[in-house]
Amino acid sequence: MSRHHPPSTINCLRYVLIALGLLWFGLDGHAAKIGEMSDTTVLEQAGRFFTFQDPAVRYALLGSMLLGICCGVMGSFIVVRKLALVGDALSHAVLPGVALGFLWNTSKDPVAIFIGATIAGLIGTAAVGAIKHTTKLKEDAALGLVLAAFFSVGICMVTMIQRLPTGNKSGVDKFLFGQAAALGANDVKLMAIITVVTLLVIGLFYKQFLVTSFDAGFARVTGVPVQVMHYTLMLMLAFAVVIALQAVGVVLVSAMLITPAAAAYLLTDRLHRMLILAAIFGMASGAAGAFMSFLGPSLPTGPFMVLGGSAVFGAAFLFAPQHGVIMRWWRRRSRSLRVQRENTLKSIYHVLEARDFKPEGVTAKELAEKRRETLEDILGQLRELRRHDLATLQDDEQTVFLTPDGWQRACAIVRNHRLWELYLTNAAQVAADHVHEDAEKIEHVLGEDVVRQLEKRLNYATHDPHGKLIPGEADMLRGSAPSERITDAVGYGKRT
Amino acid sequence: MSELIPPFDWQQHVIAPWTEGFGANIWIVLMGFFVATACGLVGNYLMMRRMALVGDAISHSVLPGIAIAFLLSHSRGTVPMFIGALVAGMITTILIEVIHKKSRVKQDAAIGIAFTTLFAIGVILISLYASQVDLDQECVLYGEIAFVPFGEPVQLTDAFSAPVPVFRMGIVAVITLIFVVLFYKQLLVSSFDAGLATSLGINATFVHYALMCWLSITVVSAFESVGAILVIAMLILPGATAFLLSHRLPVIHALTVLMAALSSLLGLHLATWLDCSMAGAMVVMASVLFVLAWIFSPLDGLLVRWVRQRKLHLEPPEEIIVVPK
């Protein structure tokens, strides 16, 4: 079903990568060092950011965008697999690895830190699995355990490193909350390589990842090595966490995994679109975080990136066309208003029916008695009908006449109601005095094609179980009072 | 390596803390013990409700509450801090519910989004108003339990005074203990079977929110001196260790308190030896205790499992071997 999608995913991401590449190589210039920025104003800082003159700015921006892409893509997988908090545990578990990698030659060597952190992350993930399988502790406890245990070991090591003569200037504490400005050329190169590798692996095995994420059983049957796929995913997740560490910080990496992906999840139902959207959102929040933290001397990057992501998520949560809160609220509201209009129309029909459809208007007072509601409520409902051109009001808004449209809707609702009652008594053997409640609900949702099928199934019956006439198509169109039609239908409770 | 890990010296690292530094160390150990006890007891119920990570979330997200309380009240007073933490805790709980119920985002992702957002706000507030807030970023994570003894003292009797944080934490721990004893039945039933709780006349929703409120209070009174990481760890680790050692809730509670005492005491010695973060060392010791319980637990430990499995392989019970004729 999605055979042609992987290329389109790759295509789109390729353009993004080319754009990033241009940003990296195309601009060249020498400008003031980042250390001098504390005595400039916010506006000057912003100006300097957008001219991209400063290499530190370019590295910070590029790095933040790359990590946004990588985290967004990998985060999508853990969000759809309901593993969101595995990302949290994993990101805390890498800290001892970072410290060990730093100790390797007591300097901030990106490769050593990368390897150490990846190994620690994978051990952490494996420990979660082991605790889950060999004790009766549940997954959430296992995740929390591993998170706290590994992180505390990491904290102890970091505080020990800071005690070393070289340690205090090492910037190893920057790993806690992230400082994009600390990114160097080597860091960004490593990030670019990892991002490209991640995207390639995802692109090549897109179908396998898709199937394993949504239906592991089916994947196994079709010969996909589910376990291998799972561990590959975990490895790449660890990669994403580790390259994000320096800019976002250990504590908040999980947000870069979860939040952009969750926002994308609200906007689409297809995984490939979700991956692209999450990558874009991640990139945007990364860039926003790098920009914001550049404005002040000691502002950490990570929290700003996280807030950027949260803002995107908040917007998606409120305004998403399908799953957004506002659209859902609007849909529910318009549905309940429609149901109320239809109920008013139905009551008008009942009143008309009770006096054999004499061509007179129905008064609001009659309706109020029929519906057992106050006169003000009824008047409000009638005005609502007039607003939708279903009725006209006369005599100082006291008498209501249905328009042809209103008459058709009223007939349709009554028909739906009575057909359903008849169907329940005839086909489902429900007692005639139990069918009304159910029909009250279903009358508003029956579509034309279902009505046609019901009519056919009930042999075009003319009477409902209570002996009332079911309005037919001709009555609706002519605007005439429903009359006996010649049919051989037999319904329960038919009078003749 | 040698400058990183100093040689272990019994006299200097085990005896000396109690002969020379007694006056300060007793408060540190007591503080760690109170934090671990209060968090551990609350954490047991969180774990039974499979909400361990909600505890994690709340212990992160009280940060903006504390920061805003500092900024508004210009003091480190207990009352504004408690109010800030309560509000932040409630906001987290409600945010998680809203995201989870009103959209198709699952609960785990909702937790992840809610707490990281609030924590990020807290960190930004702290770095923007660093001079007013009197908290720094690292302190938020692993606290400064070593400074606890030098805090302002509360004069309890003429001869006896205790530092404010320890005093406050002690009261919170004692109240937690009283709650756990008094409302034992309510907490137990509503944790395991919300339906049964309702039929017994226990309002499960109320218990849930009360637990969350108390969690926020516990977290905030521990936060300032020991940081987020010790709180999160102590919510889960002592309880999880106790869960591996017993199946009875009263025993689990008792073991939790024991684990709390052990990890704070051993943590002090570890930190003295390695000269590292004290809160971190306490958690490391709690983790070591967990690993020991995991391996050696007589109930279901790895060793017992291994022996059981080996027996199964070596001597298949004869009576169930069916010999075909």
Side-chain angles (χ1 to χ4, degrees):
Chain A
M1 91 218 167
S2 55
R3 194 171 298 154
H4 63 285
H5 293 319
S8 78
T9 315
I10 294 183
N11 262 340
C12 188
L13 290 174
R14 191 191 292 149
Y15 291 126
V16 172
L17 280 184
I18 291 174
L20 287 178
L22 286 178
L23 187 61
W24 188 2
F25 296 111
L27 296 158
D28 202 27
H30 302 283
K33 286 278 171 307
I34 207 151
E36 296 166 16
M37 69 192 201
S38 50
D39 41 302
T40 53
T41 65
V42 168
L43 261 180
E44 281 171 41
Q45 283 296 125
R48 191 198 274 182
F49 184 87
F50 283 114
T51 51
F52 305 116
Q53 292 289 302
D54 196 329
V57 173
R58 265 183 290 144
Y59 290 140
L61 185 61
L62 254 174
S64 311
M65 289 165 93
L66 282 171
L67 80 87
I69 295 175
C70 209
C71 285
V73 169
M74 293 318 298
S76 301
F77 282 102
I78 62 166
V79 166
V80 297
R81 284 174 168 226
K82 300 180 195 132
L83 294 176
L85 292 168
V86 173
D88 192 28
L90 182 73
S91 57
H92 283 76
V94 298
L95 191 60
V98 170
L100 274 184
F102 177 82
L103 282 178
W104 185 254
N105 51 7
T106 48
S107 73
K108 223 183 83 200
D109 177 6
V111 179
I113 288 180
F114 178 79
I115 294 172
T118 309
I119 292 173
L122 290 179
I123 294 177
T125 322
V128 172
I131 291 175
K132 221 168 53 180
H133 285 130
T134 60
T135 71
K136 59 195 167 72
L137 294 172
K138 300 296 176 302
E139 174 158 29
D140 61 329
L143 284 171
L145 261 172
V146 168
L147 181 157
F150 275 64
F151 192 64
S152 63
V153 173
I155 286 287
C156 282
M157 291 171 76
V158 168
T159 44
M160 280 155 74
I161 288 173
Q162 279 174 335
R163 182 160 56 75
L164 292 180
T166 51
N168 219 3
K169 297 176 230 84
S170 64
V172 80
D173 54 321
K174 289 278 181 264
F175 279 93
L176 292 176
F177 290 101
Q179 188 56 269
L183 290 177
N186 286 337
D187 299 313
V188 177
K189 265 181 200 146
L190 185 73
M191 291 166 105
I193 293 169
I194 295 298
T195 309
V196 170
V197 169
T198 305
L199 293 183
L200 273 181
V201 174
I202 297 289
L204 285 178
F205 299 103
Y206 178 74
K207 205 168 69 185
Q208 282 84 342
F209 282 123
L210 176 80
V211 180
T212 21
S213 298
F214 287 100
D215 193 340
F218 176 71
R220 204 168 287 125
V221 170
T222 49
V224 176
V226 175
Q227 284 299 315
V228 176
M229 285 325 218
H230 180 74
Y231 287 120
T232 316
L233 209 61
M234 283 299 134
L235 180 68
M236 291 196 307
L237 186 64
F239 283 174
V241 166
V242 174
I243 63 165
L245 275 189
Q246 255 198 59
V248 193
V250 171
V251 188
L252 289 169
V253 169
S254 64
M256 287 305 283
L257 291 170
I258 301 170
T259 315
Y265 187 57
L266 292 177
L267 292 173
T268 172
D269 290 330
R270 310 300 297 264
L271 185 62
H272 64 280
R273 284 194 208 123
M274 183 175 162
L275 292 182
I276 295 171
L277 281 176
I280 293 172
F281 292 160
M283 203 165 68
S285 22
F291 172 66
M292 293 299 287
S293 80
F294 191 72
L295 293 182
S298 68
L299 295 177
T301 323
F304 281 110
M305 282 189 196
V306 172
L307 282 193
S310 305
V312 174
F313 177 80
F317 181 73
L318 291 178
F319 304 114
Q322 266 294 313
H323 305 288
V325 170
I326 289 182
M327 281 315 287
R328 290 212 307 200
W329 172 81
W330 177 251
R331 275 201 298 270
R332 202 164 44 233
R333 192 183 125 86
S334 54
R335 191 165 58 230
S336 77
L337 281 178
R338 180 174 62 85
V339 165
Q340 191 175 42
R341 281 199 302 278
E342 290 178 349
N343 283 338
T344 319
L345 285 172
K346 196 172 63 179
S347 306
I348 295 176
Y349 183 96
H350 284 151
V351 172
L352 285 170
E353 188 180 48
R355 49 168 131 106
D356 286 332
F357 299 103
K358 285 204 194 87
E360 295 163 5
V362 175
T363 62
K365 201 160 160 266
E366 278 174 304
L367 277 177
E369 275 164 19
K370 168 91 190 135
R371 302 207 63 180
R372 295 194 183 110
E373 284 176 23
T374 62
L375 211 53
E376 288 82 50
D377 286 350
I378 295 290
L379 279 176
Q381 290 169 20
L382 292 182
R383 283 188 206 114
E384 175 73 11
L385 286 185
R386 184 173 61 184
R387 224 160 53 79
H388 284 81
D389 286 331
L390 295 170
T392 53
L393 299 184
Q394 289 179 10
D395 301 340
D396 195 20
E397 299 194 331
Q398 289 303 313
T399 315
V400 60
F401 291 91
L402 290 179
T403 63
D405 270 353
W407 170 254
Q408 278 187 26
R409 282 306 300 152
C411 283
I413 288 301
V414 173
R415 176 200 62 194
N416 289 355
H417 183 97
R418 293 180 178 173
L419 269 179
W420 190 256
E421 288 188 339
L422 191 61
Y423 175 72
L424 282 183
T425 49
N426 277 10
Q429 316 291 333
V430 179
D433 52 347
H434 279 66
V435 291
H436 177 75
E437 294 301 316
D438 203 15
E440 277 291 297
K441 287 184 202 123
I442 204 97
E443 64 192 11
H444 303 291
V445 289
L446 284 182
E448 276 304 307
D449 45 345
V450 183
V451 169
R452 291 289 93 76
Q453 275 185 31
L454 279 176
E455 283 175 337
K456 199 171 153 202
R457 230 182 131 145
L458 296 167
N459 273 333
Y460 304 99
T462 55
H463 289 81
D464 77 352
H466 311 298
K468 298 259 181 66
L469 269 171
I470 301 175
E473 194 77 14
D475 307 321
M476 285 169 61
L477 293 178
R478 271 206 314 270
S480 62
S483 53
E484 301 279 343
R485 297 184 295 270
I486 298 160
T487 151
D488 52 356
V490 179
Y492 289 163
K494 189 178 175 188
R495 264 189 305 194
T496 48
Chain B
M1 249 328 130
S2 63
E3 52 183 329
L4 204 64
I5 302 177
F8 183 73
D9 181 90
W10 179 264
Q11 178 63 33
Q12 191 187 342
H13 299 133
V14 180
I15 310 289
W18 298 110
T19 50
E20 287 155 32
F22 181 81
N25 286 337
I26 185 71
W27 294 124
I28 293 175
V29 170
L30 268 182
M31 184 71 189
F33 171 64
F34 288 149
V35 171
T37 306
C39 290
L41 291 177
V42 177
N44 282 345
Y45 289 103
L46 293 182
M47 250 187 297
M48 282 193 281
R49 293 165 173 248
R50 306 202 180 171
M51 282 168 36
L53 291 167
V54 177
D56 179 10
I58 287 191
S59 32
H60 276 100
S61 54
V62 294
L63 181 61
I66 298 177
I68 291 174
F70 273 150
L71 287 178
L72 291 184
S73 71
H74 299 289
S75 77
R76 299 178 80 124
T78 307
V79 176
M81 245 169 54
F82 275 17
I83 293 173
L86 269 181
V87 172
M90 278 298 105
I91 289 178
T92 320
T93 320
I94 292 167
L95 259 185
I96 293 173
E97 298 260 299
V98 167
I99 294 178
H100 163 56
K101 295 249 167 75
K102 299 274 173 190
S103 78
R104 59 187 197 141
V105 174
K106 306 288 178 302
Q107 197 190 3
D108 59 338
I111 294 175
I113 294 168
F115 91 80
T116 50
T117 306
L118 288 170
F119 192 65
I121 293 175
V123 174
I124 289 174
L125 282 178
I126 287 179
S127 44
L128 280 181
Y129 300 102
S131 50
Q132 283 120 299
V133 174
D134 195 19
L135 264 178
D136 65 10
Q137 294 170 19
E138 275 76 31
C139 166
V140 166
L141 276 186
Y142 47 86
E144 278 167 2
I145 198 172
F147 292 160
V148 162
F150 310 114
E152 231 176 284
V154 184
Q155 203 70 35
L156 291 177
T157 61
D158 291 339
F160 186 71
S161 68
V164 172
V166 182
F167 182 65
R168 188 168 53 205
M169 198 64 228
I171 289 179
V172 169
V174 169
I175 294 178
T176 311
L177 201 63
I178 293 174
F179 275 178
V180 167
V181 174
L182 275 186
F183 301 108
Y184 179 78
K185 190 182 75 183
Q186 283 83 346
L187 283 166
L188 179 72
V189 177
S190 66
S191 299
F192 281 106
D193 192 338
L196 177 65
T198 312
S199 70
L200 288 175
I202 300 165
N203 187 341
T205 322
F206 175 75
V207 175
H208 171 81
Y209 278 98
L211 200 62
M212 291 297 118
C213 280
W214 191 246
L215 176 64
S216 315
I217 294 279
T218 313
V219 167
V220 73
S221 32
F223 203 93
E224 194 191 353
S225 37
V226 301
I229 183 62
L230 185 60
V231 173
I232 297 162
M234 289 312 173
L235 280 174
I236 303 176
L237 277 166
T241 315
F243 268 70
L244 296 186
L245 296 174
S246 171
H247 291 168
R248 308 257 334 129
L249 189 58
V251 184
I252 289 178
H253 281 329
L255 281 172
T256 305
V257 176
L258 178 69
M259 292 302 151
L262 277 179
S263 42
S264 95
L265 186 65
L266 294 174
L268 173 82
H269 290 293
L270 184 71
T272 321
W273 172 32
L274 296 179
D275 189 14
C276 62
S277 152
M278 258 181 211
M282 286 176 182
V283 183
V284 170
M285 285 328 288
S287 317
V288 170
L289 289 174
F290 173 78
V291 173
L292 290 179
W294 187 17
I295 298 174
F296 297 108
S297 162
L299 282 182
D300 213 12
L302 289 180
L303 212 62
V304 174
R305 276 166 178 261
W306 180 73
V307 170
R308 242 183 258 151
Q309 219 151 38
R310 231 175 110 80
K311 260 194 193 147
L312 226 59
H313 279 295
L314 288 181
E315 4 168 321
E318 277 171 33
E319 61 268 29
I320 62 159
I321 296 177
V322 180
V323 184
K325 283 187 180 168

